[in-house]
Amino acid sequence: SFIFVDGMADPTYTGLMQIVTVVIFVLVIITAEPSLPFGRMLENPVLDFIGKRSYEMYLFMYPVIFLFNVKKWTRIPCAPLIQLAIIMLLAIWEHEMVGWIVKRKLNITRKWKATLFFLATVAATVFIVVGIIATIFSGKKNTDTKELEQQLAANQKMLEQQESESSSQTSSVTSSSSASTSAATSSTSATSSSSTEDTEKQDELTAETKVPVTAIGDSVMLGASPELLKVLPDKSIVNAHESRQLWDAKDIIKDYKKKNKLGKIVIIALGTNGVFKEDAGQELIDMIGEDRHIYWVNVFGDSIQWEDDSNKVIKKLCDKNENVTLINWHEYAKGHDSWFYHDGIHLKPDGQKQYAKMIKNAIQDDLDIIRMEQEADKKASEQKENTKATSTQADTKSESTKEEKEDK
């Protein structure tokens, strides 16, 4: 199970762990039962050697696995076998050292006792000093954590307020549009020209609430959301939340499409809180649609064990879909420890600015197209206004001329 059971795989937590536990339980019973031949079959020098050191292996197993995960040494080829070898070597060393001490404890002289006492005193002193230093740095980390929590809470409140205002504006425009349409329909004197004017008004109202960019992400994006909103066009939406998983985004996409709040540019920053299957990612992309350009920000974090797995899935999705572009946060953030809080995942102010800058640079070409479209819409709107003004003046002049003729 150490080599073949994946701690990040779904089956591990949907029955596989229980099956492995039962199998090991059965193996222990049939091995320990003297009347069964299975135990006798395992009686050989190699297994006997390992069995006598199994407790020491148990003691060193978790520290070695934890160290490999934190240092990202799991990327090394044959990492599980290397871990197993290191655990075995440490277990043998401890077993032999303990055996040596136990065998010679009765023959220790006063000189050796004094030496051992001195070494024990030095070790205890070092342990205490390290503990004090660790406590001091732990206090700094706790301060960091509180600062991060306050920042995320404030940003979440800000985004919720923005979402509420956006929904109110959309609702107001929809009501105005409905009222205009209803009035045009119920009016008995409505002409084809007035109907055209109503349609134009509806188009203008829709343009006023058109969302250019929609960004959906987790707590990394949440931390950087104020900076991100600064570099995105007006009316852009950032929807980020702590501990968000990929499947949480599906309901958001459905809701935004229904409310016409899904921009032509969609930024996805998900994968930090757990790896997801390629099929699930593809389903999200299909929901967004081929008519939108999707930018997917990949994962970076010193303590994220599934970082590589998440990034592999994201890379496959970007390569597979022409309308999906990778924003490589993993490479961009490397070597910039000062950008991050102590967890190596969430961003300090400098890091937030860099995160927003990276995204803006990545989508700049599309932003230029949107800006040109907005300028074209503005010019078209101005031309319509000018045409209306000219038409009104002509109508006024025509009415005036008509009245003059009637007076004569």
Side-chain angles (χ1 to χ4, degrees), residues 149-216:
E149 288 174 351
Q150 291 171 357
Q151 182 186 86
L152 293 178
N155 289 354
Q156 191 70 68
K157 187 176 180 181
M158 179 266 294
L159 292 182
E160 288 173 357
Q161 184 177 354
Q162 179 209 43
E163 184 79 14
S164 177
E165 291 173 357
S166 175
S167 298
S168 299
Q169 185 180 7
T170 304
S171 176
S172 175
V173 169
T174 304
S175 300
S176 300
S177 178
S178 299
S180 176
T181 304
S182 177
T185 303
S186 60
S187 176
T188 56
S189 60
T191 62
S192 59
S193 61
S194 65
S195 177
T196 303
E197 289 177 3
D198 290 331
T199 302
E200 290 175 354
K201 286 180 180 179
Q202 287 182 14
D203 292 340
E204 289 173 8
L205 289 169
T206 303
E208 286 177 5
T209 57
K210 193 173 182 181
V211 176
V213 181
T214 303
I216 301 170

Side-chain angles (χ1 to χ4, degrees), residues 59 112 119 162 192 227 234 243 256 314 402:
L59 293 177
W112 272 104
L119 292 174
Q162 179 209 43
S192 59
E227 294 297 330
D234 292 341
S243 304
Y256 280 179
I314 294 169
K402 186 178 179 181

